Amino acid sequence: MKIVVIGCTGLIGTKLVQDLRKRGHDVLAPAPDTGVSTITREGLAKALDGAEVVVDVANAPVWGDETALEFLERSGRNLLAAGAAAGVRHHVALSIVGSERLPDCGYFRAKVAQESLIKASGIPYTIVRATQFYEFVGDIAQSAAPLDTLGKEIRLSPALIQPIASADVAAALAEVAVAPPVNGTVEVAGPEAMPLDELVRRFLRATQDTRKVVPDVHARYFGGLLSDRTLTPGENPRIGAIRFEDWLGRYQAKSCFAMQSPLLATAGADNSEALASSFATSYPGVVAFITVVAEGGFSKAADRLGITRSAVSRCIQKLEAQVGLRLLSRTTRSISLTREGEILHARCQPSVALITEAMEDLRDLRDGPPRGRLRVSASVGFGRKVVAPLLWAFQEKYPDIEIELHLGCVASDFTSDRIDVSFLNGRLADSRIVAKRIVPMQTLVCASPAYAVRRGMPESPDALMLHDCINVRLPSGRVYEWEFKVEGGLRKLTPPSRIMFNDDGLVLEAVLQGKGIAQLGGYLICDLLREGKLVHSMPQYAPDDQGHYICYLSRQHLPSRIRVFVDHMTAAIRALDLQCAGAFSPTPDDRQVALAPMVPLRGQ
């Protein structure tokens, strides 16, 4: 099933794309940086071509009344028009629980307008309304802090709210997307309801934010007054699995450095500086402080750090001002630690040493001999036939690199699957990865010599209808479409077949046994063509716009183990002769002698 996700780079969109791909669906993730815009309509029609489902989780850039309304209406109209033209069978959109109950909030009004456009479009639809996300609790706190008490207290309504984890929202959207449209609304909410002020209070307590939360029934929520019904779902909502306390525990773990740092905790408690500002002050100060103690003076510490003596002095003065304590006793002849300085040095010196050691190890990984673990992914067929046999030579050359090769029918996700390098075949649409084309990819119609003598070989795509074709069912559930270059364009067709597999290896085995014909990748059949075990036809119709690619996430700061692997495998695969269309092109006469011994190819 081809599913297009609009808003694929946001909090929900990234999770949704990963979820749907793991379920085996063909997911397109268009975005402005890939040349697709729902506002200007650039690239939109092409992105939706052949799509069965569209999921719209795009978010307006700001919550201002007019801006949000204009964005959601224009984006919605353009997307629905393109969807209708493309024959989309299910339009799914993410909205907000209680949007019609908070008319004083401009963003909620904009979501109501968006829902109205969807309902009037004529496209079968499902609107998924979600309660507020756990991930936005901090933003709620900031929006509710009065300017005259900034840094001291937050006033919030005690009305009930039933927040949900973004991961649960993405999972619900994935389930809705692959199910039939309900032409109505589905609500999703977290497993527990609680007063809004208590929700924020628990969040601030967990993040060591000392601001006081004051319950106030007149406090507005993004411009609107709340009741217990405003932000809570109706009857029988879908309930997420992740509890707030569990999510909060993971959130704390991710922020453990900031939460456990006594300097940052002090900064948060005693003044209103932002966390980032506190970190920028404390970390350079701690490094300067540790270096002064180790070198026995400011001048030697400055030489060690590569900065001026006055810069070292300023760093330590800022650190002392931040903690409100003197750390060093200075005289014209000596420097010594105060009692407070001794405590700080004992706590921080081991951590700074570990950080320094880690940075040196990383520099060594970048600039030293290649080593470490490399996780590589490829399709089953290409991985078995091409990639795996080449790994032994690579490992002999780089024995300190450990390789994990993961083969699958669905392309791996670099982030969630922790993949370093991926081999991909065909046409690539994701411009967010670096894709180096190794060699062109051929797809050829082939059969056994016995089949060619018995049934002949097709001379045009239309002639496939008269043959015993063997098809492949893709992980997405769709049947593979045979592709041909006809009059400068691409023609796709799915010929009828009596047998179908979900594995190219099984298709190839059936072809070798003379059971029928199939369109297969050249890398699978080149050797068999040269050996006379297969023949192929219609090379003039073979597509010429596909390739075999070696892919990775970024050119910047590329570890040496990835760099040498990419260079080695590119050279090794190019050295293989995977270009078989020009090497053997059977003529009608070939079919009559197909059972006779084949004449060796030139150079073989």
Side-chain angles (χ1 to χ4, degrees), residues 237-292:
R238 296 191 182 193
I239 300 298
I242 302 173
R243 295 173 60 254
F244 182 64
E245 287 300 323
D246 297 332
W247 175 87
L248 198 56
R250 289 196 287 269
Y251 179 88
Q252 287 177 281
K254 290 179 182 178
S255 309
C256 62
F257 180 83
M259 295 304 102
Q260 293 173 0
S261 169
L263 294 174
L264 298 185
T266 302
D270 294 344
N271 56 63
S272 59
E273 288 184 50
L275 189 61
S277 176
S278 300
F279 182 86
T281 301
S282 61
Y283 184 71
V286 168
V287 173
F289 170 71
I290 295 296
T291 308
V292 167

Side-chain angles (χ1 to χ4, degrees), residues 168-242:
D168 283 338
V169 176
L173 282 164
E175 292 177 3
V176 167
V178 300
V182 301
N183 292 319
T185 300
V186 174
E187 290 189 326
V188 294
E192 54 186 333
M194 67 188 79
L196 177 60
D197 63 314
E198 177 60 22
L199 172 71
V200 173
R201 189 177 295 111
R202 288 162 64 179
F203 177 82
L204 297 184
R205 188 185 305 123
T207 56
Q208 295 187 11
D209 189 325
T210 59
R211 287 179 293 177
K212 181 181 180 182
V213 178
V214 179
D216 182 354
V217 294
H218 301 295
R220 291 183 174 268
Y221 178 84
F222 295 105
L225 291 175
L226 300 180
S227 70
D228 284 347
R229 284 286 302 117
T230 307
L231 300 178
T232 51
E235 296 181 357
N236 301 318
R238 296 191 182 193
I239 300 298
I242 302 173

Side-chain angles (χ1 to χ4, degrees), residues 24 378-381 406-412 473-476 502-504:
S379 65
V380 175
H406 298 260
L407 304 183
C409 297
V410 180
S412 299
R473 186 171 294 279
L474 302 175
S476 64
N502 67 346
D503 178 78
D504 285 340

